[in-house]
Amino acid sequence: MSLVHPFWSDDKQAPYAMFLSIIEDYVHPEEPDLEALQELAKRDDLPTLVTFKNQFREVIANASVLPEDALSTAADYGDGTDEAFLASLA
């Protein structure tokens, strides 16, 4: 698996930066917190969460919108495709 530099940490305006940042914070295997992510997903009171959910819907619909290896870098998974990983979150 090839990893990319986490550009979303450097450029918060980069495409899908919010989605990748939240995935990195809540799904990364070193400290996964899926319950907290599920609770965040229920909220609509913060613009960042609305952005995250909109980007998540776009990525679920078409994972190829993400730069190659960005999702695997953010989530640090190595067993399967982006689509399989996203399905496990949906």
Side-chain angles (χ1 to χ4, degrees), residues 7 15-16 19-20 59 62-71 82 86:
F7 61 85
Y16 302 97
F19 171 77
L20 293 166
V59 170
N62 183 8
S64 69
V65 298
L66 291 174
E68 186 175 354
D69 296 322
L71 185 56
D82 285 356
L86 291 166

Side-chain angles (χ1 to χ4, degrees), residues 30-48:
E30 290 178 11
E31 293 185 41
D33 196 349
L34 296 179
E35 286 183 23
L37 180 59
Q38 290 169 339
E39 289 302 313
L40 278 178
K42 295 176 185 175
R43 296 179 58 180
D44 285 324
D45 59 330
L46 297 172
T48 55

Side-chain angles (χ1 to χ4, degrees), residues 15-31:
Y16 302 97
M18 181 59 58
F19 171 77
L20 293 166
S21 293
I22 290 177
I23 291 296
E24 183 175 47
D25 290 345
Y26 289 92
V27 182
H28 199 281
E30 290 178 11
E31 293 185 41

Side-chain angles (χ1 to χ4, degrees), residues 49-86:
L49 297 177
V50 172
T51 299
F52 167 75
K53 290 194 289 187
N54 288 336
Q55 290 179 353
F56 189 31
R57 287 183 195 104
E58 291 174 20
V59 170
I60 288 282
N62 183 8
S64 69
V65 298
L66 291 174
E68 186 175 354
D69 296 322
L71 185 56
S72 60
T73 298
D76 194 24
Y77 71 91
D79 54 344
T81 64
D82 285 356
E83 291 81 3
F85 174 76
L86 291 166

